[in-house]
Amino acid sequence: MRTLICEWLRGEGYAVRGLSLQSAAPALGVDLVIVDVPDFRSRGAQTVHAVRTRYPHSVLIGLSTQLGRSLHGDSHAARALGLRRLVAKPCARGELLDAVATAISVAR
C-alpha cells in the first residue's frame, strides 16, 4: 500500500518519501504524514501519538480499514486524535489525493 500511495502522490508532483516509524531519524521538512490507524482506542492512538511526537509540525492524515467508512473524514474523533483527515482503506486514488489536497490547503 505504501508503494502505491507514493506512486499516486509522485504522479501529482508531490515530493514523497516512504518512511516507517522505525527509520533512524525523522526526515526534516515533512509537510504531511499519512499514518495507518487501526483503531482509536489503543494502537491507533499510540501510533498517531508516536508520529505526532516525531513530526510535530506536520499535517497528519489517517488511513483506516475500521474507521474510515464509519466516521466522516474530518470528524471530531479524527481531529481529537490529531488527524486533519481520515480516509477509509482501501481507498481510491481520487479519495486520497482529495484528502491530501484538502489537508495541505487547510494547513497553509
Side-chain angles (χ1 to χ4, degrees):
M1 185 85 187
R2 180 184 304 164
T3 301
L4 181 60
I5 289 171
C6 289
E7 287 179 21
W8 287 347
L9 294 170
R10 284 185 186 112
E12 293 298 310
Y14 292 103
V16 177
R17 289 176 264 178
L19 302 173
S20 70
L21 275 178
Q22 291 75 30
S23 298
L28 299 176
V30 174
D31 295 323
L32 175 83
V33 177
I34 299 174
V35 60
D36 183 42
V37 183
D39 59 51
F40 275 149
R41 289 181 178 79
S42 59
R43 290 189 344 229
Q46 292 169 352
T47 301
V48 171
H49 177 72
V51 171
R52 173 58 59 215
T53 299
R54 197 168 178 103
Y55 301 99
H57 304 294
S58 300
V59 172
L60 302 184
I61 292 178
L63 293 178
S64 178
T65 55
Q66 293 181 358
L67 302 169
R69 298 281 179 223
S70 62
L71 293 174
H72 191 267
D74 63 350
S75 68
H76 175 72
R79 287 190 313 273
L81 194 57
L83 301 171
R84 180 71 47 86
R85 304 290 295 176
L86 180 63
V87 179
K89 73 176 188 184
C91 63
R93 180 180 179 276
E95 289 176 284
L96 182 70
L97 294 176
D98 285 347
V100 168
T102 300
I104 290 174
S105 69
V106 169
R108 293 181 181 171

